[in-house]
């Protein structure tokens, strides 16, 4: 994507009422929507997050299938989720929002017990050991998710990375969390949930064309 196109999308994002682009200072200094997301959506429906939402295809697809829930895509790359935000506005989807921010700030953006479900779709596996702190399913991130999730809330991890799948499963079992569903190839598993197989992101289609199996874990956190 050219720099001019990126700048154009950044500008357009500023006009979208379903996009929030707070500064780090705003997030760390009593972010006003923390604990008050019902005022953004103007309802009390359950909140579902997609972390590292990319182009926003998964956020949009889940929102279309679940109009009784609110969906928020989070990514630091606003030029990517521009497409999802624009699609939501064009289709008058009032249950969709996007936030441009770092995922490590998630517990400053949402209050304790404010979120019902989290999706992590095709994150960078950060394979090198020195990058462990950046893996979205490391212990520190799991604690943040546990803090903002309601009791009984679940986390979904969908990835093409066998490393990420194995790392996460090992961590979950080691820390005593509850694995509700796990498999190494969602398209060969009869019991794969429809929300996992019924939606494919831009990158997922590329992975499938390359013959990569798509893995999935659904789990509850216990501390």
């Amino acid at each position: 994507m050219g720099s001019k196109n990126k700048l154009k999308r950044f500008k357009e994002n500023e006009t979208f009422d379903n996009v929030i682009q707070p500064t780090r200072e705003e997030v760390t200094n009593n972010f006003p929507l923390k604990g008050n997301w019902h005022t953004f959506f103007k309802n009390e429906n359950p909140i579902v997050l997609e972390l590292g939402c990319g182009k926003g295809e998964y956020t949009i697809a889940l929102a279309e299938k679940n109009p009784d829930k609110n969906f928020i895509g989070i990514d630091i790359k606003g030029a990517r989720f521009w497409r999802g935000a624009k699609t939501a506005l064009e289709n008058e989807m009032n249950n969709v929002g996007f936030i441009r921010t770092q995922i490590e700030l998630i517990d400053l953006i949402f209050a304790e017990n404010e979120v019902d479900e989290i999706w992590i779709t095709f994150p960078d596996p950060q394979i090198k050991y020195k990058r462990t702190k950046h893996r979205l399913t490391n212990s520190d991130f799991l604690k943040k998710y546990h803090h903002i999730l309601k009791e009984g809330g679940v986390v979904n991890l969908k990835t093409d990375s066998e490393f990420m799948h194995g790392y996460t499963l090992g961590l979950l079992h080691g820390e005593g969390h509850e694995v509700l569903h796990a498999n190494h190839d969602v398209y060969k598993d009869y019991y794969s949930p429809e929300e996992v197989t019924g939606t494919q992101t831009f990158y997922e289609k590329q992975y499938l064309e390359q013959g990569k199996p798509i893995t999935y874990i659904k789990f509850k956190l216990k501390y």
Side-chain angles (χ1 to χ4, degrees):
M1 186 188 305
S3 57
K4 286 186 178 180
N5 201 15
K6 276 188 178 181
L7 289 173
K8 182 181 177 182
R9 291 184 175 187
F10 283 138
K11 273 287 187 186
E12 199 165 358
N13 276 348
E14 292 175 3
T15 70
F16 292 166
D17 59 12
N18 63 352
V19 172
I20 299 173
Q21 303 185 90
T23 64
R24 194 178 184 93
E25 183 179 3
E26 288 171 334
V27 170
T28 56
N29 188 25
N30 295 320
F31 185 59
L33 283 173
K34 180 180 179 180
N36 298 298
W37 280 97
H38 63 281
T39 63
F40 178 81
F41 289 106
K42 298 179 175 59
N43 62 55
E44 299 285 347
N45 292 342
I47 293 174
V48 182
L49 309 182
E50 184 191 3
L51 308 183
C53 66
K55 296 175 182 290
E57 306 109 306
Y58 228 87
T59 300
I60 294 296
L62 290 174
E64 286 177 336
K65 296 172 182 176
N66 300 277
D68 58 340
K69 296 180 180 180
N70 299 317
F71 292 83
I72 303 174
I74 301 176
D75 207 298
I76 193 59
K77 296 183 178 179
R80 283 188 183 174
F81 68 58
W82 163 88
R83 179 64 268 171
K86 193 174 181 70
T87 296
L89 290 175
E90 290 172 345
N91 295 337
E92 299 182 352
M93 299 173 68
N94 298 319
N95 64 330
V96 179
F98 290 90
I99 307 173
R100 182 175 182 264
T101 192
Q102 293 92 347
I103 294 171
E104 60 262 31
L105 301 178
I106 194 170
D107 55 335
L108 299 176
I109 293 173
F110 298 94
E112 186 175 1
N113 305 320
E114 191 171 23
V115 174
D116 290 76
E117 187 171 5
I118 293 173
W119 281 83
I120 306 172
T121 51
F122 302 97
D124 186 332
Q126 308 286 0
I127 293 175
K128 293 183 178 179
Y129 179 77
K130 65 180 180 181
R131 301 289 297 176
T132 301
K133 67 179 181 180
H134 297 290
R135 290 178 200 150
L136 292 185
T137 56
N138 71 29
S139 291
D140 290 339
F141 275 114
L142 294 184
K143 287 174 183 175
K144 290 176 184 287
Y145 305 155
H146 179 264
H147 179 76
I148 65 175
L149 279 169
K150 292 181 179 178
E151 185 175 354
V154 297
V155 182
N156 305 272
L157 171 67
K158 189 177 180 184
T159 175
D160 67 305
S161 170
E162 281 290 339
F163 169 82
M164 188 69 167
H165 181 82
Y167 165 82
T168 303
L169 266 183
L171 187 62
L172 294 173
H173 287 307
E175 293 189 351
H177 304 299
E178 183 180 359
V179 176
L180 303 172
H181 188 99
N183 65 66
H184 290 269
D185 192 335
V186 297
Y187 296 105
K188 290 183 179 179
D189 182 356
Y190 178 81
Y191 296 102
S192 291
E194 194 280 333
E195 64 263 32
V196 177
T197 58
T199 299
Q200 293 180 1
T201 68
F202 172 79
Y203 295 107
E204 181 175 358
K205 290 174 183 176
Q206 289 187 333
Y207 300 145
L208 289 171
E209 288 175 2
Q210 296 167 16
K212 288 185 175 182
I214 306 301
T215 71
Y216 172 68
I217 309 173
K218 182 176 185 176
F219 56 94
K220 286 184 181 179
L221 296 167
K222 294 182 177 181
Y223 283 99

